Amino acid sequence: MHNSYSLSKRLVLVLFLAVVATQLFLIRNVSSLNLTNAYLHHKCLISQGKYKPGSQYEKNLNSHIDLIINSTFRKGFGHMTTAMGSPNMVNIIFQCRGDSYQSKCRSCFAAGISGVMRCPRNKGGIIWFDQCFVEITAIEVMEVNYDNNFYMHNPNKVMGDAKSFNKETMAFLEQLALEATRKDNMEDGMMALYSAREKMVGTKKLYAMVQCTRDVFMFKTMCKECLERIISQYPKCCDGKQGGRVLGTSCNFRYEFYPFLRT
């Protein structure tokens, strides 16, 4: 009886370890293909105050969310707002990465809405994931916003001539910024404001992307200015690093030594 019990325990343990090993294997492979939608950062806009349960603000918020979640997400971007000047105005903006439209974009938006609850009852909050960002505010901002920019980088440094690498990488990002704002770079009748490519830098292949938020005010000139500004932050965020990015609510860039976009 005792031996049978011990054998059963060992069998359960072996099966458990096998399941864990399989899950870890799958997680490693999914991560390497960048098929995850990792949480990156969030910010609670405390200055905009809080709303009460059952308030008109909450009703407007839920109504906007329902309308967006039932849309097609074909363009990978959305901007919905209550009538300008309303005391209970809700403004929602989301932008999905250029390779994450439709169902991928919808799931990221849903994760973003859920994630903004990190700011309980706040009228304003922003959250960034690998594949999108979602911003909810009680005000309408009709200008390029740099206040919420942040950066991330790979802790590993490039091997060899870091100065040469920095120069080539910045030039590559600047080239992508020009491509993103070309008149013929259109998608669904709108300027795409997005560009992604790969390039040999030294002996390694570098993958990079730039993107602007497709807002009504984000036309060509503003997108170009936004990208130029964040690319100028490269020395601060990414000096000699194997990967890095600057993110905000108006534009972003990213580069890596591995493919991170869906094909």
Side-chain angles (χ1 to χ4, degrees):
M1 187 76 175
H2 175 75
N3 289 338
S4 176
Y5 177 71
S6 298
L7 181 60
S8 297
K9 285 181 66 179
R10 285 197 297 272
L11 181 59
V12 169
L13 179 60
V14 169
L15 289 172
F16 173 76
L17 292 174
V19 170
V20 170
T22 302
Q23 289 177 335
L24 289 174
F25 174 80
L26 291 172
I27 289 169
R28 281 196 297 271
N29 280 273
V30 167
S31 298
S32 68
L33 293 172
N34 202 49
L35 299 180
T36 59
N37 184 36
Y39 158 81
L40 302 177
H41 181 60
H42 78 280
K43 182 175 182 178
C44 302
L45 305 178
I46 299 171
S47 63
Q48 294 187 19
K50 291 181 175 287
Y51 62 89
K52 295 179 180 179
S55 65
Q56 187 59 49
Y57 183 92
E58 184 176 58
K59 292 175 182 177
N60 291 345
L61 175 63
N62 291 335
S63 175
H64 288 1
I65 291 171
D66 288 343
L67 286 171
I68 293 173
I69 205 70
N70 289 310
S71 65
T72 64
F73 288 84
R74 185 166 57 89
K75 295 181 179 179
F77 164 78
H79 182 184
M80 183 167 287
T81 185
T82 315
M84 188 74 75
S86 166
N88 294 297
M89 188 177 83
V90 177
N91 187 53
I92 301 179
I93 296 177
F94 71 90
Q95 175 70 65
C96 289
R97 202 172 63 190
D99 64 328
S100 299
Y101 291 176
Q102 298 181 341
S103 61
K104 299 165 192 170
C105 186
R106 178 183 284 107
S107 63
C108 192
F109 174 77
I113 291 298
S114 176
V116 170
M117 299 308 165
R118 294 168 183 260
C119 308
R121 301 293 177 189
N122 278 69
K123 288 186 175 180
I126 314 170
I127 190 163
W128 290 264
F129 290 87
D130 243 353
Q131 295 175 27
C132 73
F133 84 86
V134 177
E135 178 180 18
I136 299 175
T137 65
I139 59 174
E140 179 79 354
V141 181
M142 296 296 291
E143 60 183 12
V144 178
N145 188 338
Y146 301 108
D147 294 339
N148 301 309
N149 287 6
F150 69 101
Y151 61 82
M152 305 172 68
H153 61 72
N154 188 315
N156 299 317
K157 293 187 176 182
V158 297
M159 303 295 289
D161 188 346
K163 287 185 179 180
S164 177
F165 172 80
N166 290 339
K167 185 177 179 180
E168 288 193 64
T169 302
M170 284 190 70
F172 185 30
L173 291 170
E174 289 165 357
Q175 184 179 2
L176 291 178
L178 290 174
E179 293 175 4
T181 54
R182 278 200 328 246
K183 289 182 179 179
D184 61 344
N185 186 20
M186 303 287 286
E187 187 175 290
D188 294 326
M190 292 178 65
M191 189 171 285
L193 304 181
Y194 167 77
S195 183
R197 282 197 298 108
E198 57 192 64
K199 178 183 179 180
M200 292 301 296
V201 174
T203 60
K204 291 192 173 183
K205 189 175 287 187
L206 192 70
Y207 301 83
M209 62 152 282
V210 301
Q211 185 173 26
C212 292
T213 304
R214 277 188 175 184
D215 209 346
V216 290
F217 63 86
M218 185 58 76
F219 52 88
K220 177 181 175 180
T221 303
M222 285 185 164
C223 179
K224 183 174 179 291
E225 291 175 357
C226 186
L227 290 173
E228 286 175 349
R229 179 157 176 170
I230 65 168
I231 291 171
S232 72
Q233 295 178 23
Y234 175 96
K236 182 179 179 181
C237 87
C238 316
D239 182 21
K241 301 297 184 182
Q242 290 185 13
R245 56 178 115 175
V246 173
L247 300 103
T249 56
S250 295
C251 64
N252 68 89
F253 77 74
R254 183 181 181 183
Y255 74 91
E256 305 285 355
F257 274 141
Y258 58 86
F260 57 88
L261 298 172
R262 296 171 183 264
T263 55

